[in-house]
Amino acid sequence: MDGSWFQPVGVDMGELRGTHVPVLLERCLELLAPALGRNRRTVHVDATLGLAGHAEAVLAAHPNTVLIGLDRDTEALAHARVRLARFADRIHLEHAVYDELPDVLHRLGYPAIDGILFDLGVSSLQLDAPDRGFAYAQDAPLDMRMDQTRGVTAEEVVNTYSHPELARVLRVYGEEKFAGKIASAIIRERERGRITSSARLAELVRESIPAPARRTGGHPAKRTFQALRIEVNRELAALETALPAALDKLAVGGRAVILSYHSLEDRLTKQALADRVRSKGPVDLPVELPGSGPTFRLLSRGAELPGEAEVAANPRAASVRLRAAERLDPEAARQRRTDRERYRRRVKAMHQPGTGSPGSGSDPRSAPVDGNGTDEEGEGT
């Protein structure tokens, strides 16, 4: 769907469903600023637009930035368009999943971008709207589709998957220890009648988990509902494709910020970045071979966690993990590594017998150590 106006049937645009507090907003703006604040027009992609809290802040902070906002949820896009109306001359809001980004950029005529934000998981709108079926604490039809115009529903998954398929989904996507027991309970229940209610499914899950295990870890159905949501929306499959494609579209100096909310998302993010921040050349060569150097550098040491104040103000931020990276100029990075390696060899030679003392050469503290191109250096947490 293109960026033209649309309004989902039955949605009152005067009443926003859901409470939206952008997660780690100030930190995201801080990380994106060097890429978006350059003295030219810049292009930023919000790959998970939602209710546009992050996008609004980016547009307000950077008057020369064009926003491309993607979301598979038509209701979220309609609300976002209203929220961003004052920036209408520099926004493109697209009904698309983030793994469709290359096609969207091609159609809009943007060969490269300067910034991208992924705020993964379920949005406030989807979580707070009881009729969407995402919340285990409220009774609703078992839908869970982020895009209600296409795809299978959670009801179809629960009522048609075999026991091994259900157990796999719950174990892999929900990291649920009692996946087999829960799958068995679902199979028995649907033999008596189709399961259509989120409340009934939540009760089945609760009954399947031993009482001692129910006393810790929050609501017993939390992991099952997460697993079904991921399966219904193909979240991990889309992310596995989307992250490398998005990184490839970043211009030199461009930055990516990814907010993950469970270990599976964060693991995929870490792997996608790790592949690009390490040199692929032989470690003992004095020069970096063309095409073998790192193409990104990390902007933080590991995953950044929210502070106590952030969680107190926005409890949904409690599980967030932030990772960020910047695209490097490959030739500049190659030259830096070559310079460092040559300096290291020169200092090492100075310490060999008959080649002088440590005090006779250059001060080792003057070595060109900037951390670019490593997976260890960051801008701080």
Side-chain angles (χ1 to χ4, degrees):
M1 183 176 298
D2 63 21
S4 59
W5 167 261
F6 62 91
Q7 178 171 330
V9 175
V11 176
D12 178 4
M13 294 308 300
E15 181 180 353
L16 176 62
R17 308 199 297 173
T19 302
H20 181 51
V21 181
V23 173
L24 294 177
L25 177 60
E26 294 304 318
R27 182 57 173 151
C28 289
L29 291 175
E30 178 186 12
L31 288 165
L32 291 167
L36 301 181
R38 294 183 270 195
N39 191 26
R40 59 171 175 80
R41 186 190 71 171
T42 54
V43 181
H44 174 62
V45 173
D46 193 317
T48 48
L49 184 64
L51 294 177
H54 288 103
E56 181 182 38
V58 165
L59 288 165
H62 301 287
N64 292 326
T65 294
V66 173
L67 171 78
I68 300 171
L70 310 184
D71 208 293
R72 66 175 85 192
D73 189 329
T74 56
E75 185 178 352
L77 283 168
H79 282 299
R81 187 172 298 281
V82 173
R83 183 172 193 164
L84 302 178
R86 69 186 189 276
F87 306 111
D89 61 335
R90 52 191 180 99
I91 63 173
H92 304 277
L93 304 189
E94 299 289 325
H95 181 209
V97 186
Y98 36 68
D99 62 353
E100 299 174 274
L101 176 61
D103 293 335
V104 171
L105 293 177
H106 177 74
R107 177 163 48 79
L108 295 176
Y110 293 103
I113 60 177
D114 299 282
I116 187 164
L117 172 70
F118 287 86
D119 186 8
L120 301 169
V122 63
S123 74
S124 298
L125 171 65
Q126 293 156 350
L127 198 59
D128 291 338
D131 58 307
R132 302 294 292 271
F134 287 96
Y136 38 78
Q138 304 176 43
D139 193 18
L142 277 172
D143 193 321
M144 296 194 193
R145 290 174 299 168
M146 294 178 179
D147 181 353
Q148 291 188 299
T149 69
R150 58 183 173 179
V152 301
T153 64
E155 179 182 335
E156 292 174 79
V157 172
V158 165
N159 287 284
T160 63
Y161 277 30
S162 67
H163 183 283
E165 289 173 322
L166 279 172
R168 176 192 60 80
V169 167
L170 302 184
R171 184 177 59 255
V172 175
Y173 295 157
E175 299 176 292
E176 174 58 72
K177 293 188 298 183
F178 302 100
K181 289 180 176 293
I182 295 169
S184 295
I186 289 172
I187 298 294
R188 288 194 300 271
E189 177 69 12
R190 77 190 196 193
E191 287 174 351
R192 291 190 284 267
R194 191 172 180 85
I195 303 171
T196 60
S197 160
S198 61
R200 181 56 186 139
L201 177 61
E203 181 64 17
L204 281 173
V205 174
R206 192 192 70 79
E207 293 171 352
S208 303
I209 296 177
R214 297 200 300 262
R215 299 190 185 109
T216 60
H219 197 289
K222 176 174 64 176
R223 291 178 295 276
T224 292
F225 273 62
Q226 171 186 294
L228 290 173
R229 188 201 82 220
I230 291 173
E231 173 71 7
V232 165
N233 296 289
R234 296 181 56 256
E235 291 177 44
L236 294 181
L239 183 62
E240 192 170 16
T241 301
L243 276 175
L247 295 174
D248 286 343
K249 289 296 182 181
L250 280 172
V252 171
R255 293 185 165 201
V257 178
I258 302 99
L259 303 177
S260 305
Y261 295 86
H262 59 76
S263 61
L264 301 175
E265 292 172 340
D266 186 55
R267 190 178 307 145
L268 284 177
T269 301
K270 182 179 179 180
Q271 290 170 350
L273 296 178
D275 186 53
R276 294 161 186 268
V277 298
R278 297 192 181 104
S279 172
K280 298 177 176 62
V283 296
D284 56 344
L285 285 182
V287 297
E288 185 81 76
L289 295 175
S292 66
T295 55
F296 279 78
R297 72 179 182 104
L298 299 183
L299 299 176
S300 63
R301 296 179 182 273
E304 292 189 20
L305 310 181
E308 292 181 4
E310 173 89 14
V311 176
N314 185 11
R316 288 179 182 169
S319 61
V320 71
R321 301 292 183 269
L322 180 150
R323 295 183 187 271
E326 179 184 64
R327 182 152 200 165
L328 301 173
D329 180 339
E331 281 305 309
R334 185 165 74 92
Q335 187 59 50
R336 280 192 294 268
R337 184 177 186 271
T338 298
D339 291 344
R340 287 197 300 271
E341 180 61 22
R342 284 174 175 164
Y343 183 86
R344 185 189 69 80
R345 288 176 175 246
R346 187 166 64 249
V347 171
K348 181 178 179 181
M350 288 165 47
H351 288 75
Q352 298 303 314
T355 61
S357 66
S360 63
S362 302
D363 186 346
R365 290 172 294 182
S366 65
V369 178
D370 61 7
N372 285 349
T374 76
D375 60 350
E376 309 251 334
E377 191 70 14
E379 293 186 353
T381 59

